[in-house]
Amino acid sequence: LYDTVKTFEAIGYKVLVVRHPQDEYFKELEEIKIPILNAGDGKGNHPTQCLLDLYTIYDEFNTFENLNVLICGDIAHSRVAASNKDALERLGANVLFSGPKEWEREGYPTISMDEGVQWADVVMMLRIQKERGASLEGMSDEDYLDLYGLNLRRYKMMKPHAIIMHPAPVNRGVEIDDSLVECPQSRIFKQMENGVLVRKAVIKRAFGYSYFKD
């Protein structure tokens, strides 16, 4: 990885965007002089997804202070869960997690899904990270939705002002009922729209504003 990145630096690239299966791959690249944007490292961090999530939440509520955020699903393998926990807690939100016991994570406080959806101002669903080893043997998609997903029954338990989020891609009918992906309280496609703006801003900052002014 270091040699690849060093090669791009040597031949004149100004910014690199790196997505890598290794946790905290960036520690190997501390001697690189050009900006590196982390597009996801293993199950460790996903900073730009976190930023677009923060932007979406702030656009909705104009604050993070004392907001209740429920993050649901495959917590153990999710870099989205890790980045959002860190940022949201720093900004004053209350963050709880819900999902299968097999996918709990040390230091991530849990609540049952039924209790959580009633408590939350933001319900953030996560997909099963099969590419990182997550699996629930013998459980159908319907079973998972009933036990751990956001189905119609739980949707009716949510606060009227609460919003639904998901980093996508969405597994319709697994972690979220198909009819809820674009329901009135869903902000899933708004997140995607915000993601373009946030990532453009991050790239612009990495290049330096003068690069664009010139």
XYZ file of all heavy atoms in Angstrom, residues 70-166:
770
model
N -30.383 6.205 17.400
C -30.340 4.751 17.494
C -29.689 4.200 16.222
O -30.168 4.461 15.116
C -31.762 4.193 17.638
C -31.892 2.673 17.700
C -31.320 2.141 19.007
C -33.349 2.246 17.538
N -28.605 3.452 16.382
C -27.921 2.836 15.252
C -28.148 1.329 15.339
O -27.851 0.710 16.360
C -26.420 3.183 15.250
C -26.240 4.715 15.207
C -25.722 2.536 14.056
C -24.797 5.176 15.241
N -28.688 0.751 14.264
C -29.231 -0.605 14.342
C -28.619 -1.537 13.311
O -28.443 -1.165 12.148
C -30.739 -0.574 14.083
S -31.626 0.732 14.925
N -28.348 -2.777 13.745
C -27.935 -3.809 12.811
C -26.590 -4.398 13.136
O -26.307 -4.755 14.285
N -25.743 -4.486 12.115
C -24.440 -5.131 12.229
C -23.416 -4.149 12.791
O -22.613 -3.576 12.054
C -24.017 -5.655 10.852
C -22.687 -6.393 10.897
O -22.140 -6.582 11.998
O -22.207 -6.780 9.817
N -23.435 -3.970 14.092
C -22.570 -2.983 14.749
C -21.113 -3.443 14.737
O -20.199 -2.646 14.527
C -23.035 -2.735 16.201
C -24.537 -2.389 16.248
C -22.205 -1.642 16.843
C -24.935 -1.214 15.412
N -20.884 -4.713 14.930
C -19.523 -5.225 15.091
C -18.644 -4.971 13.877
O -17.438 -4.745 14.015
C -19.562 -6.727 15.393
N -19.220 -5.000 12.695
C -18.427 -4.883 11.472
C -18.569 -3.523 10.791
O -18.057 -3.335 9.686
C -18.837 -5.977 10.480
C -18.690 -7.360 11.014
N -19.731 -8.039 11.612
C -17.617 -8.186 11.074
C -19.307 -9.239 12.004
N -18.040 -9.353 11.688
N -19.247 -2.580 11.430
C -19.613 -1.338 10.752
C -18.691 -0.178 11.103
O -18.654 0.283 12.243
C -21.060 -0.951 11.100
O -21.377 0.307 10.545
N -17.993 0.335 10.101
C -17.201 1.550 10.307
C -18.101 2.780 10.399
O -17.728 3.789 11.009
C -16.185 1.688 9.182
C -16.757 1.647 7.797
C -15.676 1.399 6.755
N -16.256 1.234 5.434
C -15.716 0.496 4.480
N -14.594 -0.151 4.691
N -16.279 0.403 3.296
N -19.293 2.725 9.806
C -20.257 3.822 9.928
C -20.677 3.989 11.378
O -20.747 5.105 11.903
C -21.482 3.567 9.029
C -22.544 4.635 9.257
C -21.072 3.536 7.560
N -20.952 2.873 12.048
C -21.329 2.930 13.463
C -20.207 3.539 14.302
O -20.451 4.370 15.184
C -21.667 1.524 13.972
N -18.974 3.145 14.020
C -17.838 3.634 14.804
C -17.633 5.128 14.632
O -17.489 5.872 15.617
C -16.576 2.875 14.395
N -17.623 5.601 13.396
C -17.396 7.022 13.146
C -18.530 7.877 13.698
O -18.305 8.940 14.280
C -17.220 7.280 11.641
O -15.978 6.795 11.196
N -19.769 7.419 13.507
C -20.908 8.195 13.997
C -20.969 8.228 15.517
O -21.315 9.261 16.099
C -22.212 7.650 13.416
C -22.513 8.232 12.047
O -22.556 9.433 11.865
N -22.705 7.373 11.066
N -20.646 7.139 16.172
C -20.623 7.133 17.638
C -19.660 8.187 18.153
O -20.001 9.011 19.015
C -20.224 5.757 18.170
C -20.123 5.670 19.697
C -19.667 4.288 20.130
C -19.729 4.115 21.647
N -18.818 5.027 22.375
N -18.463 8.178 17.627
C -17.444 9.114 18.075
C -17.880 10.558 17.865
O -17.842 11.382 18.786
C -16.141 8.835 17.314
C -14.979 9.676 17.804
O -14.976 10.066 18.984
O -14.060 9.941 17.008
N -18.325 10.887 16.657
C -18.672 12.269 16.334
C -19.930 12.743 17.064
O -19.959 13.847 17.627
C -18.862 12.410 14.826
N -20.969 11.921 17.058
C -22.232 12.340 17.667
C -22.100 12.547 19.169
O -22.664 13.500 19.726
C -23.320 11.312 17.360
C -23.843 11.334 15.918
C -24.614 10.058 15.612
C -24.721 12.563 15.684
N -21.354 11.683 19.833
C -21.160 11.851 21.278
C -20.372 13.119 21.573
O -20.671 13.836 22.529
C -20.488 10.622 21.867
C -21.397 9.407 21.905
C -20.743 8.162 22.477
O -19.495 8.125 22.590
O -21.482 7.204 22.810
N -19.383 13.426 20.763
C -18.620 14.664 20.944
C -19.508 15.895 20.785
O -19.280 16.925 21.422
C -17.479 14.741 19.927
C -16.329 13.772 20.171
C -15.355 13.821 19.015
N -14.322 12.826 19.141
C -13.007 13.100 19.195
N -12.602 14.349 19.163
N -12.125 12.134 19.284
N -20.515 15.778 19.919
C -21.394 16.908 19.632
C -22.598 16.989 20.558
O -23.447 17.861 20.404
C -21.870 16.824 18.181
C -20.763 17.049 17.129
C -21.240 16.622 15.744
C -20.325 18.507 17.117
N -22.692 16.067 21.529
C -23.731 16.174 22.544
C -24.943 15.295 22.354
O -25.908 15.390 23.118
N -24.919 14.415 21.354
C -26.054 13.513 21.143
C -25.945 12.293 22.052
O -24.862 11.957 22.551
C -26.109 13.070 19.684
N -27.070 11.638 22.269
C -27.125 10.366 22.988
C -27.211 9.248 21.948
O -28.099 9.262 21.095
C -28.352 10.315 23.895
C -28.452 11.536 24.792
O -27.516 11.860 25.512
N -29.583 12.236 24.730
N -26.289 8.292 22.005
C -26.223 7.252 20.977
C -26.370 5.878 21.614
O -25.621 5.524 22.534
C -24.899 7.324 20.192
C -24.923 6.341 19.027
C -24.634 8.735 19.687
N -27.347 5.111 21.133
C -27.528 3.726 21.552
C -27.560 2.826 20.328
O -27.756 3.293 19.198
C -28.826 3.566 22.354
C -28.878 4.236 23.731
C -30.248 4.045 24.366
C -27.785 3.711 24.649
N -27.386 1.525 20.569
C -27.257 0.567 19.482
C -28.208 -0.605 19.698
O -28.526 -0.959 20.836
C -25.815 0.063 19.400
C -24.827 1.166 19.142
C -24.321 1.920 20.196
C -24.446 1.482 17.855
C -23.437 2.961 19.965
C -23.563 2.520 17.616
C -23.054 3.261 18.666
N -28.646 -1.182 18.588
C -29.542 -2.333 18.660
C -29.210 -3.294 17.529
O -28.881 -2.865 16.424
C -30.997 -1.884 18.554
O -31.875 -2.972 18.720
N -29.310 -4.579 17.823
C -29.035 -5.580 16.799
C -28.802 -6.937 17.427
O -28.930 -7.104 18.646
N -28.448 -7.914 16.620
C -28.174 -9.248 17.144
C -27.035 -9.234 18.162
O -26.061 -8.493 18.009
C -27.772 -10.038 15.895
C -28.377 -9.294 14.755
C -28.341 -7.858 15.147
N -27.179 -10.051 19.192
C -26.160 -10.113 20.241
C -24.795 -10.483 19.665
O -23.758 -10.016 20.141
C -26.574 -11.114 21.317
C -25.721 -11.045 22.572
C -26.400 -11.724 23.740
C -25.635 -11.489 25.040
N -25.584 -10.071 25.444
N -24.795 -11.312 18.619
C -23.540 -11.728 17.991
C -22.765 -10.550 17.408
O -21.557 -10.652 17.187
C -23.810 -12.731 16.857
C -24.431 -14.034 17.327
C -25.943 -14.011 17.275
O -26.552 -12.949 17.559
O -26.532 -15.053 16.941
N -23.453 -9.439 17.142
C -22.813 -8.294 16.495
C -22.696 -7.091 17.416
O -22.507 -5.963 16.960
C -23.587 -7.912 15.235
C -23.583 -8.990 14.195
C -22.689 -10.024 14.072
C -24.526 -9.161 13.148
N -23.003 -10.810 13.013
C -24.125 -10.317 12.413
C -25.651 -8.452 12.733
C -24.835 -10.769 11.303
C -26.351 -8.900 11.635
C -25.952 -10.049 10.923
N -22.810 -7.317 18.698
C -22.589 -6.220 19.641
C -21.096 -5.896 19.689
O -20.243 -6.703 19.305
C -23.100 -6.598 21.029
C -24.621 -6.671 21.090
C -25.130 -7.054 22.479
O -24.291 -7.218 23.398
O -26.359 -7.188 22.637
N -20.776 -4.731 20.198
C -19.398 -4.239 20.211
C -19.098 -3.667 21.596
O -19.916 -2.922 22.148
C -19.260 -3.154 19.144
C -17.880 -2.888 18.603
C -18.019 -2.082 17.318
N -16.752 -1.741 16.719
C -16.613 -1.236 15.501
N -17.682 -1.045 14.734
N -15.421 -0.942 15.008
N -17.966 -4.002 22.128
C -17.614 -3.542 23.466
C -17.584 -2.010 23.509
O -17.005 -1.353 22.645
C -16.238 -4.088 23.859
C -15.857 -3.773 25.295
C -14.536 -4.398 25.702
O -13.956 -5.181 24.910
O -14.082 -4.096 26.818
N -18.239 -1.459 24.531
C -18.288 -0.013 24.675
C -19.412 0.666 23.922
O -19.525 1.896 23.946
N -20.266 -0.132 23.272
C -21.388 0.405 22.507
C -22.678 0.019 23.232
O -23.144 -1.122 23.098
C -21.382 -0.158 21.087
C -20.292 0.401 20.195
C -18.942 0.300 20.546
C -20.610 1.030 18.995
C -17.943 0.806 19.739
C -19.621 1.539 18.162
C -18.286 1.432 18.553
O -17.311 1.940 17.739
N -23.278 0.922 24.006
C -24.447 0.578 24.820
C -25.649 0.178 23.968
O -25.928 0.794 22.941
C -24.731 1.857 25.603
C -24.093 2.949 24.810
C -22.904 2.338 24.148
N -26.361 -0.865 24.397
C -27.446 -1.426 23.594
C -28.814 -1.208 24.223
O -28.946 -0.946 25.420
C -27.231 -2.931 23.366
O -27.228 -3.590 24.633
C -25.920 -3.197 22.648
N -29.816 -1.344 23.379
C -31.215 -1.255 23.779
C -31.989 -2.157 22.827
O -31.544 -2.406 21.699
C -31.710 0.217 23.698
C -33.109 0.386 24.296
C -31.690 0.717 22.259
C -33.548 1.853 24.407
N -33.132 -2.670 23.265
C -33.923 -3.498 22.355
C -34.481 -2.628 21.226
O -34.678 -1.422 21.380
C -35.079 -4.169 23.106
O -36.090 -3.229 23.401
N -34.740 -3.256 20.097
C -35.218 -2.519 18.930
C -36.565 -1.842 19.217
O -36.773 -0.677 18.851
C -35.333 -3.467 17.738
C -35.536 -2.788 16.411
S -34.136 -1.782 15.937
C -34.729 -1.128 14.376
N -37.471 -2.539 19.886
C -38.781 -1.956 20.176
C -38.666 -0.730 21.080
O -39.332 0.287 20.864
C -39.695 -2.997 20.822
C -40.267 -3.981 19.812
O -39.947 -3.865 18.605
O -41.030 -4.871 20.213
N -37.830 -0.828 22.117
C -37.620 0.318 23.002
C -36.900 1.448 22.267
O -37.216 2.627 22.428
C -36.803 -0.100 24.219
C -37.506 -1.030 25.176
C -36.587 -1.453 26.317
O -35.560 -2.103 26.035
O -36.908 -1.112 27.472
N -35.928 1.062 21.458
C -35.098 2.049 20.777
C -35.860 2.934 19.813
O -35.646 4.149 19.775
N -36.750 2.350 19.018
C -37.459 3.157 18.025
C -38.414 4.148 18.689
O -38.720 5.195 18.114
C -38.212 2.281 17.002
C -37.246 1.483 16.161
C -39.224 1.366 17.679
N -38.868 3.841 19.897
C -39.720 4.780 20.626
C -38.908 5.909 21.249
O -39.401 7.017 21.443
C -40.493 4.036 21.713
C -41.444 2.988 21.177
C -42.121 2.200 22.283
O -42.988 2.715 23.001
N -41.722 0.943 22.441
N -37.656 5.638 21.568
C -36.750 6.593 22.222
C -36.096 7.547 21.233
O -35.811 8.705 21.530
C -35.690 5.783 22.961
C -34.490 6.514 23.457
C -34.386 7.215 24.616
C -33.198 6.585 22.818
N -33.108 7.732 24.748
C -32.372 7.360 23.659
C -32.677 6.062 21.637
C -31.035 7.631 23.347
C -31.362 6.329 21.317
C -30.555 7.096 22.157
N -35.897 7.099 20.007
C -35.000 7.776 19.069
C -35.634 8.950 18.333
O -36.814 8.944 17.990
C -34.475 6.769 18.044
N -34.788 9.952 18.072
C -35.104 11.022 17.123
C -34.561 10.669 15.734
O -35.073 11.146 14.724
C -34.474 12.347 17.584
C -34.956 12.764 18.965
O -36.181 12.938 19.142
O -34.113 12.887 19.880
N -33.512 9.873 15.715
C -32.905 9.392 14.472
C -32.756 7.879 14.575
O -32.162 7.381 15.532
C -31.521 10.024 14.237
C -30.887 9.453 12.963
C -31.616 11.548 14.168
N -33.305 7.159 13.601
C -33.144 5.707 13.528
C -32.271 5.418 12.312
O -32.690 5.603 11.171
C -34.497 4.985 13.408
C -34.277 3.477 13.260
C -35.379 5.287 14.611
N -31.032 5.002 12.561
C -30.077 4.746 11.491
C -29.902 3.242 11.323
O -29.394 2.567 12.211
C -28.733 5.409 11.805
C -27.705 5.307 10.696
S -26.126 6.096 11.130
C -26.634 7.806 11.316
N -30.321 2.728 10.192
C -30.228 1.298 9.913
C -28.918 0.980 9.192
O -28.421 1.786 8.406
C -31.413 0.839 9.061
C -32.784 1.184 9.645
S -33.006 0.584 11.339
C -32.750 -1.182 11.124
N -28.376 -0.201 9.454
C -27.153 -0.664 8.812
C -27.417 -2.008 8.129
O -28.198 -2.814 8.630
C -26.033 -0.850 9.840
C -25.658 0.359 10.691
C -24.665 -0.061 11.768
C -25.071 1.469 9.827
N -26.722 -2.238 7.037
C -26.848 -3.532 6.366
C -25.920 -4.563 7.025
O -25.001 -4.206 7.758
C -26.529 -3.403 4.881
C -25.083 -3.061 4.594
C -24.833 -2.914 3.083
N -23.456 -2.509 2.833
C -22.433 -3.347 2.759
N -22.627 -4.646 2.927
N -21.214 -2.909 2.524
N -26.186 -5.812 6.739
C -25.324 -6.895 7.213
C -24.034 -6.881 6.385
O -24.075 -6.953 5.162
C -26.033 -8.259 7.079
C -27.326 -8.259 7.907
C -25.112 -9.385 7.516
C -28.193 -9.483 7.683
N -22.898 -6.798 7.058
C -21.605 -6.668 6.372
C -21.053 -8.063 6.034
O -20.082 -8.533 6.628
C -20.631 -5.913 7.270
C -21.148 -4.586 7.776
C -20.990 -3.464 6.760
O -19.913 -3.223 6.257
N -22.090 -2.795 6.457
N -21.672 -8.703 5.073
C -21.282 -10.074 4.726
C -19.837 -10.153 4.234
O -19.159 -11.150 4.452
C -22.233 -10.634 3.680
C -23.654 -10.826 4.207
C -24.569 -11.407 3.141
C -25.980 -11.616 3.685
N -26.892 -12.159 2.653
N -19.373 -9.100 3.588
C -18.003 -9.114 3.071
C -16.953 -9.038 4.179
O -15.762 -9.239 3.937
C -17.795 -7.957 2.072
C -17.725 -6.568 2.688
C -19.086 -5.935 2.935
O -20.097 -6.668 3.004
O -19.130 -4.711 3.082
N -17.395 -8.740 5.404
C -16.468 -8.709 6.538
C -16.739 -9.856 7.512
O -16.350 -9.796 8.673
C -16.576 -7.359 7.260
C -16.188 -6.213 6.350
C -16.007 -4.893 7.055
N -15.787 -3.865 6.048
C -16.739 -3.091 5.548
N -17.970 -3.178 5.996
N -16.471 -2.199 4.614
N -17.445 -10.862 7.032
C -17.610 -12.066 7.819
C -18.894 -12.175 8.606
O -19.090 -13.143 9.346
N -19.797 -11.224 8.468
C -21.050 -11.279 9.222
C -22.008 -12.287 8.594
O -22.207 -12.293 7.386
C -21.711 -9.905 9.254
N -22.598 -13.123 9.425
C -23.622 -14.045 8.935
C -24.435 -14.537 10.120
O -23.935 -14.646 11.233
C -23.006 -15.230 8.196
O -22.257 -16.030 9.081
N -25.698 -14.797 9.864
C -26.572 -15.405 10.861
C -27.131 -16.678 10.232
O -28.105 -16.638 9.464
C -27.693 -14.455 11.272
C -27.295 -13.328 12.223
C -28.495 -12.426 12.491
C -26.760 -13.868 13.538
N -26.500 -17.778 10.532
C -26.866 -19.042 9.908
C -28.307 -19.426 10.244
O -28.751 -19.322 11.391
C -25.919 -20.149 10.379
C -24.464 -19.951 9.951
C -24.271 -20.020 8.457
O -25.082 -20.712 7.800
O -23.323 -19.390 7.941
N -29.023 -19.860 9.214
C -30.369 -20.382 9.420
C -31.449 -19.336 9.576
O -32.604 -19.682 9.819
N -31.115 -18.056 9.439
C -32.117 -17.000 9.595
C -32.486 -16.446 8.227
O -31.613 -16.040 7.458
C -31.599 -15.881 10.501
C -32.624 -14.789 10.757
S -32.043 -13.510 11.903
C -31.967 -14.462 13.418
N -33.757 -16.399 7.926
C -34.216 -15.862 6.653
C -34.244 -14.336 6.712
O -34.166 -13.729 7.795
C -35.622 -16.373 6.335
O -36.556 -15.826 7.263
N -34.371 -13.709 5.555
C -34.493 -12.250 5.500
C -35.719 -11.795 6.289
O -35.677 -10.774 6.999
C -34.630 -11.793 4.050
C -33.350 -12.003 3.254
O -32.296 -12.284 3.874
O -33.403 -11.886 2.015
N -36.813 -12.537 6.170
C -38.046 -12.185 6.869
C -37.858 -12.273 8.387
O -38.356 -11.415 9.133
C -39.190 -13.099 6.434
C -39.635 -12.923 4.983
C -38.693 -13.579 3.976
O -37.806 -14.380 4.398
O -38.832 -13.287 2.776
N -37.139 -13.291 8.835
C -36.871 -13.436 10.268
C -36.035 -12.265 10.783
O -36.291 -11.730 11.865
C -36.127 -14.746 10.544
C -37.000 -15.970 10.352
O -38.243 -15.829 10.381
O -36.445 -17.071 10.154
N -35.016 -11.897 10.012
C -34.144 -10.799 10.436
C -34.940 -9.499 10.545
O -34.809 -8.753 11.525
C -32.983 -10.623 9.449
C -31.996 -9.583 9.916
C -30.942 -9.921 10.765
C -32.118 -8.250 9.535
C -30.051 -8.965 11.217
C -31.233 -7.287 9.981
C -30.190 -7.650 10.827
O -29.319 -6.685 11.285
N -35.774 -9.222 9.552
C -36.593 -8.008 9.583
C -37.518 -8.001 10.787
O -37.691 -6.976 11.450
C -37.409 -7.896 8.288
C -38.309 -6.664 8.149
C -37.495 -5.390 8.142
C -39.154 -6.765 6.877
N -38.101 -9.147 11.090
C -39.021 -9.239 12.221
C -38.307 -9.053 13.563
O -38.811 -8.375 14.461
C -39.732 -10.593 12.190
C -40.739 -10.735 13.326
O -41.664 -9.899 13.408
O -40.593 -11.663 14.136
N -37.121 -9.631 13.685
C -36.415 -9.597 14.967
C -35.591 -8.328 15.173
O -35.539 -7.786 16.280
C -35.497 -10.819 15.086
C -36.183 -12.167 15.240
C -35.164 -13.295 15.096
C -36.885 -12.256 16.595
N -34.940 -7.852 14.108
C -33.938 -6.792 14.277
C -34.103 -5.603 13.336
O -33.376 -4.615 13.466
C -32.536 -7.374 14.050
C -32.230 -8.570 14.903
C -32.078 -9.840 14.339
C -32.090 -8.455 16.289
C -31.794 -10.947 15.121
C -31.808 -9.554 17.077
C -31.657 -10.800 16.485
O -31.376 -11.892 17.263
N -35.025 -5.682 12.391
C -35.130 -4.640 11.379
C -36.192 -3.602 11.687
O -36.909 -3.677 12.689
N -36.256 -2.607 10.806
C -37.288 -1.586 10.902
C -38.451 -2.012 10.011
O -38.449 -1.796 8.801
C -36.749 -0.222 10.474
C -37.724 0.950 10.649
C -38.138 1.114 12.108
C -37.120 2.244 10.125
N -39.424 -2.661 10.642
C -40.621 -3.105 9.918
C -41.762 -2.118 10.157
O -41.612 -1.117 10.861
C -41.001 -4.527 10.325
C -41.175 -4.668 11.836
O -41.427 -3.693 12.544
N -41.037 -5.895 12.335
N -42.912 -2.397 9.567
C -44.046 -1.473 9.668
C -44.532 -1.319 11.104
O -44.926 -0.225 11.527
C -45.179 -1.945 8.762
C -44.911 -1.811 7.261
C -45.995 -2.522 6.455
C -44.832 -0.345 6.861
N -44.496 -2.403 11.855
C -44.928 -2.324 13.262
C -44.057 -1.349 14.044
O -44.569 -0.508 14.789
C -44.869 -3.720 13.891
C -45.267 -3.749 15.366
C -45.206 -5.161 15.922
N -43.852 -5.674 16.005
C -43.006 -5.395 17.012
N -43.386 -4.591 17.999
N -41.797 -5.918 17.025
N -42.761 -1.435 13.868
C -41.860 -0.539 14.604
C -41.942 0.891 14.070
O -41.791 1.850 14.828
C -40.428 -1.066 14.536
C -40.248 -2.379 15.294
C -38.795 -2.775 15.442
N -38.693 -4.002 16.220
C -38.419 -5.193 15.718
N -38.187 -5.322 14.407
N -38.353 -6.252 16.487
N -42.148 1.018 12.783
C -42.289 2.356 12.199
C -43.432 3.122 12.873
O -43.307 4.319 13.156
C -42.544 2.229 10.702
C -42.807 3.532 9.987
C -41.838 4.526 9.912
C -44.039 3.768 9.369
C -42.079 5.718 9.242
C -44.286 4.948 8.699
C -43.307 5.928 8.634
O -43.550 7.101 7.973
N -44.518 2.434 13.154
C -45.666 3.079 13.791
C -45.381 3.474 15.238
O -46.110 4.282 15.817
C -46.881 2.158 13.725
C -47.389 1.934 12.301
C -48.491 0.889 12.247
C -48.937 0.641 10.821
N -49.959 -0.443 10.724
N -44.310 2.930 15.819
C -43.932 3.252 17.187
C -42.999 4.462 17.264
O -42.749 4.993 18.335
C -43.239 2.040 17.825
C -44.115 0.810 17.931
S -43.167 -0.725 18.227
C -42.526 -0.433 19.862
N -42.481 4.907 16.127
C -41.540 6.017 16.117
C -42.213 7.344 16.450
O -43.413 7.523 16.242
C -40.876 6.124 14.740
C -39.903 4.999 14.423
S -39.285 5.058 12.704
C -38.558 6.715 12.662
N -41.426 8.276 16.969
C -41.916 9.630 17.211
C -42.304 10.269 15.871
O -41.678 9.999 14.851
C -40.824 10.478 17.866
C -40.363 9.991 19.232
C -39.187 10.829 19.703
C -38.642 10.352 21.048
N -37.446 11.127 21.482
N -43.323 11.134 15.874
C -43.764 11.748 14.606
C -42.668 12.531 13.892
O -42.659 12.601 12.657
C -44.902 12.672 15.043
C -45.403 12.083 16.317
C -44.210 11.492 16.997
N -41.752 13.121 14.665
C -40.700 13.945 14.048
C -39.432 13.144 13.736
O -38.499 13.675 13.121
C -40.317 15.109 14.971
C -39.616 14.657 16.221
N -40.285 14.429 17.402
C -38.308 14.364 16.469
C -39.415 14.027 18.327
N -38.205 13.981 17.779
N -39.374 11.887 14.156
C -38.149 11.093 13.994
C -37.888 10.799 12.514
O -38.819 10.697 11.710
C -38.256 9.791 14.774
N -36.607 10.659 12.178
C -36.236 10.379 10.795
C -35.511 9.034 10.693
O -34.929 8.555 11.669
C -35.358 11.494 10.190
C -34.039 11.650 10.957
C -36.136 12.801 10.132
C -33.050 12.602 10.298
N -35.573 8.462 9.491
C -34.915 7.188 9.193
C -33.711 7.471 8.296
O -33.822 8.210 7.310
C -35.877 6.233 8.464
C -37.097 5.929 9.332
C -35.156 4.943 8.058
C -38.240 5.275 8.569
N -32.577 6.872 8.646
C -31.361 7.026 7.844
C -30.756 5.659 7.545
O -31.066 4.677 8.208
C -30.356 7.923 8.570
C -30.872 9.343 8.815
S -29.729 10.389 9.777
C -28.335 10.515 8.652
N -29.889 5.629 6.539
C -29.216 4.390 6.141
C -28.056 4.794 5.243
O -28.234 5.567 4.306
C -30.190 3.490 5.382
C -29.723 2.075 5.194
N -28.519 1.756 4.582
C -30.294 0.876 5.516
C -28.363 0.446 4.554
N -29.419 -0.117 5.106
